[in-house]
Every structure is written in structure tokens, then in C-alpha cells.
Amino acid sequence: MSVSHPLKVLVVFGTRPEAIKLFPVVAALKADARFDCRVCVSAQHRGMLDQVLEIAGIVPDHDLDVMKPDQSLDALTAVLLTGLGRVMDAEKPDRVMVQGDTATAMCGALAAYYRKIPVDHVEAGLRSGNIYHPWPEEVNRKIIGSMASLHFAPTDVSREALLRENVDPARVHVTGNTVIDALHWVSARIAENPDMASGLAVVEARFAGKRIIGVTSHRRENFGDGMENIAEAIRRLAARPDVAVVFPVHLNPNVRKVMNTALAGLDNVALLEPLDYPHFARLLGIAEIMLTDSGGVQEEAPALGKPVLVMRETTERPEGVAAGTARLVGTDVTRIVTEIFTLLDDKAAYESMARAHNPFGDGTSARQIVELLANEIGQEA
Ligand code: UD1
Ligand code: UDP
């Protein structure tokens, strides 16, 4: 197919990680005359989304503002599907782009499919093989995969997963993960202007001479006992006088309640508000070890050669584990504490993990995605 007018691409996202992973693609589309890029945010996240929009300089064309405190998956899904459908009816895009596996991504793909608009999926083909880990993301991304026109898989592992599901190989492209583009971009901005990430100075001074463990946690399948265990493990880690824990706490009330109750006021623990991306990049730099259940942090830490202990039983990102930079530790208190102490006390164990390895691409993913999209519609540069 060859078209003479710019192709209208509606990019849909709603949470912090989608915004981080799509801002490089939005920038590449907007800089390219072959495309008319429109941005619709659901604002499934509000504050944590806005932090990224501001840093990336994105002003959305549509903002559904759907976030409600602690809303159920049903309520969220209903409001997303109808709201995103309305935007598509108004915009009439040629294609819709979604990223990853959130409720916004799944509903964006479904609303587009209901209108027979082709869907392009960034970060396609991640599979843990367990529909409850992570929950509900494993099913969200399978639903998107069943409808997508182009699948932008970050690695060969994710490509193979799609081929096992009988996706046409010609529709699957290995592009790396756009999170590496985002990380390169933010690192370059910080190098130009260190003030962008200087807000951690107070914490850095407070913990001078200590060994910093960076923590993030928010997975639904860890709510309840898992979160209680994570808090207890942090208490035990922070009992060591040479250790300090820096923990920007996710705004989900199910996380905040537990962490604020268990950890507030501890000498060696800094509970922070969510950090904007430059400050989180700074935390990745100053931490000796990252302890997380996040998806994105599993990709960023190996790129920086930072050992990352993953508080999950399975991962859809086995590349970091295969490379030796990531290790699954679940949410058992003793296991988390033992693994961290081993890394702190055994130099060889630490060095065997702390090797920069980047299975997730070279920072050119957004450019590759835009070219593949242009090829798809037969437009030459
Ligand atoms: C969502 C995604 C998850 C992704 C995570 C990234 C779904 C089902 N879950 O999980 O895949 O890994 O984002 O962080 O799509 N809240 C705020 N302010 C914010 C953000 C959240 O107050 O800026 C609170 C609200 O009370 C909100 C709650 O957190 O209702 C949960 O947000 P939600 O987007 O439903 O789920 P997450 O756990 O953040
Ligand atoms: N992140 C951030 N500030 C924080 C914590 C994380 O900017 O305080 C970034 C992090 O660098 C990564 C992304 O948010 O790119 C991960 O988001 P999250 O863990 O919320 O979601 P997931 O990746 O698990 O879907």
C-alpha cells in the first residue's frame, strides 16, 4: 500500500513505564514528515505519568484522566475501552500504537480492533508462561498479540515466543527495547545538565559511606503477604550499619500502606515519593544493588551493569537472568536477605553479576520502529 498523505498514528498510553518506553517513539514519529503523530493518554496513572510527560516535553492531544483512587480492574477496563473508543472515532487514525501489557494497552488494542484499525505493538512477545505471574499483564499482552498487525519484539527470545503462538514471522521484528533509547536520552540530558538529577543530594549526604540498595515494588501478585515480606526483608537489611535502603514508593495505596507502616522512621531507610526519570537514573547509578519487582528496572539495571534481584518467582524477561546480571529471589524474607548479604560480602559473587550487558538493544529501537512502520505503508524516506 502506498499513501500520499502523512500516516496518522494514534499513540496510546497511560502509565509511567509506557510513557518512558514510548516517548522516544513519539519523538521519532513527530520528527518525521511521513507521519501525523497524535498522542492519547488515558492517565491510568496521574502523577507518575505527568512526571514523564513533563521531562519528555509531550503535550497529549487527548487526556482521558481516568485515574480513581485504588480502582478495580473491571472499572478501569470499562472506562478505558469506552473512552479510548471515543477518541478513535474522533481521530480516525490509520494505525494505533500501544506498548507493553497494561490495562490501557490492552483496551487501546481492543478498541482499535473493534474499528478494524491496525494495531502496532511495542515490546511484543514477552511471556512468563503463567497467567497469574505477572497478573494481569501476561494475559493483557497475549490479547494484544492476538490482534496486532506489527509486533516489535525486543529480543530473539520474545520473537520466538510469538512464533510459538503461530504469529506470522513476517509480522515480527526484533528492534530491541525502547527503554534503552529512553535511558540513553536521559543520561545524555543529565550529562549536559547535572542539576536535572541533583535532588537526591540530601539522601546521598545522609547515607555517605554506606552501601546503597535501591528498591522498587508494585506488583499486584505481591500484594498482601508478598508486600509484608518485602518490608520485613528491608527492615533486616537496614539493620546492618553499613547499608542504606533508598526506596521511591509507588503511589498505589496497596504498596504505600504497607511500606509506610513498616518502614517509616528507620535510620537506614529513605522512603521517597516516586522519582522522576532523571532522578531514578541517578539512583540506578549510586545503588550497589537493585531489589525490585518492576519490569522496566530488570531491563535498565543490566544495561548499566547493576546487579538486580527480582522479587518474583518467574520472569518474562529471562535475558537478564541468562546474562547473569539479574536473579530471581521471590518474596521469601530469608532468601532476599541472604542473597543481598552474599552480594555485599562476597566480592567475587558481586563481580560475577556486575557486568554491563545489554540484551535489550542499542538505543536505536525507536528509529527502527519508525522505519518498519514506514516500510509497512510503502513510504520512502
Ligand atoms: C499499573 C499496571 C502495571 C504496571 C504498573 C506500572 C495494569 C493493570 N497495571 O499498575 O502493569 O506495571 O502500572 O507502575 O495496567 N496511583 C496514584 N497515582 C499514580 C499512579 C497510581 O495515585 O500516578 C494509585 C491510584 O490509587 C490507582 C492505583 O495507584 O488507582 C493503581 O493504579 P493502576 O494503574 O490501576 O495499577 P498499578 O498497580 O499502578
Ligand atoms: N521509575 C521512575 N521513578 C521511580 C521508579 C521507577 O522513573 O521512582 C522508572 C524506571 O526507571 C522504569 C519504570 O519507571 O523505567 C518502571 O516502572 P514500574 O516499575 O512502575 O513499572 P513496570 O516496568 O514494572 O511495568
Side-chain angles (χ1 to χ4, degrees):
M1 180 180 54
S2 184
V3 283
S4 51
H5 60 87
L7 187 90
K8 190 190 265 195
V9 181
L10 181 69
V11 183
V12 174
F13 55 95
T15 65
R16 169 174 67 192
E18 293 167 273
I20 288 173
K21 290 172 171 180
L22 281 173
F23 80 68
V25 186
V26 169
L29 285 170
K30 281 190 182 284
D32 191 323
R34 294 170 295 181
F35 297 97
D36 173 12
C37 173
R38 312 284 290 172
V39 172
C40 173
V41 297
S42 68
Q44 175 181 335
H45 284 175
R46 186 72 274 172
M48 286 159 46
L49 172 74
D50 292 346
Q51 281 182 320
V52 187
L53 294 177
E54 193 183 334
I55 294 289
I58 294 177
V59 180
D61 302 290
H62 302 269
D63 187 332
L64 299 178
D65 201 21
V66 304
M67 198 193 84
K68 299 257 182 329
D70 202 17
Q71 66 188 328
S72 70
L73 289 175
D74 322 29
L76 179 60
T77 301
V79 74
L80 284 170
L81 191 57
T82 49
L84 292 169
R86 269 196 300 275
V87 170
M88 288 176 204
D89 289 340
E91 282 287 354
K92 302 200 176 0
D94 296 303
R95 303 182 77 89
V96 166
M97 179 178 284
V98 297
Q99 194 281 339
D101 49 23
T102 66
T104 294
M106 189 270 284
C107 292
L110 192 55
Y113 168 71
Y114 284 164
R115 288 157 182 79
K116 298 194 177 163
I117 303 168
V119 174
D120 300 310
H121 189 200
V122 176
E123 197 183 84
L126 274 63
R127 297 289 184 271
S128 71
N130 182 330
I131 62 167
Y132 294 108
H133 291 271
W135 172 77
E137 290 82 4
E138 179 78 357
V139 164
N140 283 347
R141 55 199 175 210
K142 287 175 83 153
I143 293 172
I144 300 168
S146 69
M147 296 180 289
S149 167
L150 290 177
H151 306 252
F152 300 119
T155 67
D156 288 330
V157 173
S158 37
R159 179 171 194 273
E160 290 302 318
L162 289 166
L163 300 192
R164 279 197 299 279
E165 293 173 11
N166 297 322
V167 175
D168 176 357
R171 315 300 300 165
V172 184
H173 301 281
V174 177
T175 58
N177 195 310
T178 54
V179 77
I180 304 300
D181 304 34
L183 195 56
H184 286 186
W185 182 88
V186 82
S187 304
R189 295 293 82 71
I190 297 169
E192 283 164 16
N193 177 13
D195 281 352
M196 271 183 99
S198 62
L200 285 181
V202 175
V203 172
E204 291 176 46
R206 174 178 161 199
F207 293 147
K210 291 187 191 283
R211 307 174 72 179
I212 292 177
I213 318 281
V215 180
T216 78
S217 178
H218 71 83
R219 296 243 72 84
R220 276 171 200 261
E221 63 272 20
N222 283 342
F223 289 173
D225 289 350
M227 284 288 155
E228 298 286 351
N229 284 355
I230 292 168
E232 177 57 23
I234 293 170
R235 285 183 74 87
R236 292 200 202 165
L237 293 171
R240 248 176 86 142
D242 62 335
V243 164
V245 172
V246 180
F247 185 174
V249 184
H250 195 284
L251 292 179
N252 192 318
N254 298 290
V255 181
R256 294 178 85 76
K257 247 183 319 220
V258 175
M259 298 308 166
N260 287 333
T261 307
L263 302 174
L266 292 184
D267 280 351
N268 290 347
V269 179
L271 291 183
L272 307 178
E273 291 304 309
L275 295 170
D276 67 22
Y277 197 41
H279 284 93
F280 194 76
R282 173 78 189 161
L283 175 58
L284 285 167
I286 62 174
E288 205 165 314
I289 301 166
M290 291 302 298
L291 177 66
T292 190
D293 60 14
S294 161
V297 179
Q298 286 179 68
E299 295 151 346
E300 292 160 336
L304 299 170
K306 213 47 85 157
V308 56
L309 299 183
V310 182
M311 297 183 288
R312 302 190 191 183
E313 300 301 336
T314 59
T315 181
E316 65 282 33
R317 294 169 168 88
E319 297 88 346
V321 178
T325 346
R327 183 170 300 153
L328 295 175
V329 298
T331 54
D332 179 76
V333 177
T334 309
R335 177 138 182 241
I336 293 172
V337 174
T338 307
E339 294 272 6
I340 298 243
F341 283 1
T342 302
L343 287 178
L344 290 174
D345 297 331
D346 180 341
K347 202 159 180 264
Y350 185 86
E351 279 170 3
S352 75
M353 283 188 86
R355 272 177 289 105
H357 177 86
N358 199 346
F360 299 107
D362 58 4
T364 62
S365 301
R367 240 186 307 147
Q368 293 181 50
I369 287 168
V370 168
E371 280 319 310
L372 286 161
L373 215 47
N375 289 344
E376 173 71 8
I377 51 158
Q379 295 201 359
E380 301 298 321

